[in-house]
Amino acid sequence: MTRNRRRNAPTAPAVTAAERPDLSFTAFHQMNRVSYVRYAETYLRHRQDAEEAIDSTFEHLLRTWDEVLLTENPAAFAWTVMRNKVTDHARARTRRPPLIDEAAFNTVALRDAVDPIGQITETLALFRALRQLTDRQQDVMVMTYLQGMNAPEVAAVLGMTSATVRSTVRHSLRRLREILGPDRTMEGQR
């Protein structure tokens, strides 16, 4: 009786090896999709837009996966592709180039501020200063401070070492202090 059920049971269509993604791509996708969407949502401010941009990223990476694997640092290369797709997506939606202006109004500091107007002014100055950092520094700072990721998590996503992440944070904070001037510091920050 079990034999008949098996013979009569519907079968899934056969997938050829050429249609099946490489296992390394599948693993890469599973490991990075959540972080990529979180990052894209920080910039695009809409979950659906973020998912569309990341789907486009992974489609591009899948088509070029063999070439991606030949790069010196596939994770860093993929991150650059993702960052460019997020920027393209924002421009296609006729939005300002993505950065984190709106995030200023969603910070814990603003909700807990004694002087909300002063806090807004300081936060906007900080975000203007962030735009003066390199792309890599911006990415590390956004992931560390806005998304609350630790150095090993940021390192895994960006394809760098934890020591490089910590060094980038240190250099970024130093640069921000230079831009903001001596009267504005980021005391108490990581």
Side-chain angles (χ1 to χ4, degrees):
M1 189 177 239
T2 307
R3 278 184 155 164
N4 288 339
R5 282 189 203 175
R6 283 189 186 163
R7 264 190 240 152
N8 296 332
T11 58
V15 176
T16 66
E19 295 171 324
R20 202 173 310 131
D22 181 288
L23 286 178
S24 63
F25 176 82
T26 301
F28 181 84
H29 179 270
Q30 289 173 347
M31 287 177 16
N32 291 288
R33 181 171 175 73
V34 171
S35 296
Y36 280 22
V37 169
R38 254 176 69 191
Y39 180 87
E41 195 172 8
T42 299
Y43 285 93
L44 298 172
R45 307 305 294 161
H46 299 283
R47 179 69 177 205
Q48 183 177 352
D49 288 345
E51 288 183 355
E52 285 177 20
I54 299 312
D55 288 345
S56 176
T57 298
F58 281 113
E59 287 169 9
H60 175 85
L61 291 172
L62 179 59
R63 284 192 309 273
T64 60
W65 191 244
D66 290 338
E67 297 164 30
V68 172
L69 291 176
L70 294 175
T71 64
E72 185 176 327
N73 188 337
F77 180 86
W79 180 263
T80 301
V81 170
M82 185 276 302
R83 195 176 209 287
N84 291 337
K85 293 284 186 183
V86 169
T87 300
D88 293 346
H89 198 82
R91 287 185 182 132
R93 298 288 190 265
T94 62
R95 294 192 186 130
R96 292 181 62 206
L99 201 67
I100 36 190
D101 292 331
E102 292 178 43
F105 299 100
N106 297 323
T107 62
V108 173
L110 182 59
R111 287 191 298 267
D112 296 339
V114 174
D115 175 17
I117 300 302
Q119 184 63 49
I120 289 171
T121 303
E122 286 183 25
T123 303
L124 290 174
L126 174 60
F127 286 121
R128 275 189 228 101
L130 277 170
R131 283 192 209 110
Q132 296 180 46
L133 299 177
T134 66
D135 289 348
R136 178 175 167 169
Q137 289 173 325
Q138 286 178 22
D139 293 344
V140 168
M141 297 300 281
V142 165
M143 295 172 86
T144 301
Y145 290 104
L146 287 181
Q147 297 180 341
M149 296 172 72
N150 62 34
E153 291 169 331
V154 173
V157 173
L158 295 179
M160 57 178 68
T161 66
S162 294
T164 301
V165 170
R166 288 188 296 274
S167 174
T168 302
V169 167
R170 208 170 34 255
H171 290 291
S172 299
L173 290 173
R174 185 179 311 128
R175 179 69 182 125
L176 290 171
R177 286 184 189 105
E178 290 170 4
I179 295 166
L180 294 171
D183 58 330
R184 295 183 181 173
T185 63
M186 294 181 68
E187 303 265 339
Q189 301 292 331
R190 293 181 194 185

